[in-house]
Amino acid sequence: MIDLDQPAQDPTPPHGALSDRWRRLATLRTLALIVVASFVAGALVGGLATYLGWHRPLAASVEADWSKASVLLFAEPDLTTAHRDQRRVRLETQVTVVNAGPETINVLAIRVNQPNVTLRSPEKERAIEPGTALPVDVVLEWPCTATQPTTLAATLTVETGDEQLRTISPVALDGTPWSTSSKETCTSSG
C-alpha cells in the first residue's frame, strides 16, 4: 500500500552523505596518485642528475686514463762513452724508460733542452709494454765550464694505443751518473 501523506523511504542514504564519501575517496586516490607520481618524477630527476653529475664524468675520466701515457726515466751509469771537444763533453749513453701506464706505448723521442744541456735520442719507434722497461740510446752534451745539473726535465714524444701522439713533459731524470762521468772527462782531458 502506498501512503501518499508520507515521503517514500529510500534504502540509500541521503544524497549529500553519499557524495561526501565519494569525494573523500576520490581525494585520497588523487593524493595517492600525486604522491606516487612525485616519487617517480624524483627518481627520474635524481637518476638523470646522478648520471650527468657523477657517472658520465667518471666514465670520461676512465677513458681518458686509458689514453694517458705515464713513464719513468732512469739514467744508465754503466753504458757511457765520453768525448771531449772544444770545452764540451759529449756522452753517448742510455736512458731506461719504464712504462708506468695502462697500455703499450711507442717512445719516439726523448729530449732535454735546458740551459747548457742538450739530450737527444734517435727518432725511432720503441714499443714498451705496460710495466716493463726498455733502454734507449741518447746523446748528452754540455760544456765543461758549466755546472752540470743533477736533475734534468725531459720531454718524451710517445704514441699511445689509440694511435695518438702525446708529449709527456716534464719527466724528471736524475743525471747524477752522467754529471760524474762528464766531470771526470772534463778534468782528465785537461
Side-chain angles (χ1 to χ4, degrees):
M1 179 180 299
I2 298 176
D3 187 4
L4 296 176
D5 290 334
Q6 292 191 3
Q9 297 288 336
D10 192 7
T12 61
H15 180 63
L18 181 62
S19 101
D20 284 343
R21 280 189 222 156
W22 279 109
R23 194 176 310 134
R24 284 185 196 142
L25 185 58
T27 304
L28 288 176
R29 283 185 187 166
T30 304
L31 182 61
L33 183 61
I34 290 172
V35 168
V36 169
S38 297
F39 280 127
V40 170
L44 288 174
V45 169
L48 181 65
T50 300
Y51 173 75
L52 293 176
W54 181 74
H55 179 71
R56 201 158 114 195
L58 180 64
S61 71
V62 168
E63 183 179 317
D65 285 345
W66 279 99
S67 67
K68 285 185 180 176
S70 180
V71 296
L72 301 171
L73 299 178
F74 298 99
E76 288 291 334
D78 299 334
L79 304 169
T80 302
T81 304
H83 304 282
R84 183 170 181 261
D85 185 31
Q86 297 179 356
R87 309 289 298 162
R88 282 191 72 78
V89 65
R90 180 176 184 220
L91 302 175
E92 294 174 5
T93 186
Q94 288 187 326
V95 172
T96 299
V97 180
V98 179
N99 182 358
E103 65 180 31
T104 302
I105 59 170
N106 285 324
V107 177
L108 303 175
I110 302 173
R111 303 273 184 259
V112 171
N113 287 321
Q114 289 179 215
N116 298 320
V117 179
T118 304
L119 183 134
R120 298 277 183 262
S121 68
E123 295 203 14
K124 65 178 189 176
E125 288 191 16
R126 299 163 195 92
I128 305 175
E129 296 292 323
T132 60
L134 182 74
V136 175
D137 294 330
V138 294
V139 175
L140 175 70
E141 293 182 5
W142 53 39
C144 285
T145 58
T147 308
Q148 288 88 8
T150 56
T151 303
L152 305 173
T155 300
L156 276 79
T157 303
V158 300
E159 181 180 15
T160 56
D162 58 358
E163 297 181 358
Q164 297 293 317
L165 289 180
R166 306 224 191 286
T167 300
I168 305 170
S169 179
V171 179
L173 175 59
D174 182 15
T176 303
W178 299 334
S179 179
T180 305
S181 295
S182 67
K183 284 178 187 176
E184 291 171 1
T185 302
C186 284
T187 57
S188 68
S189 297

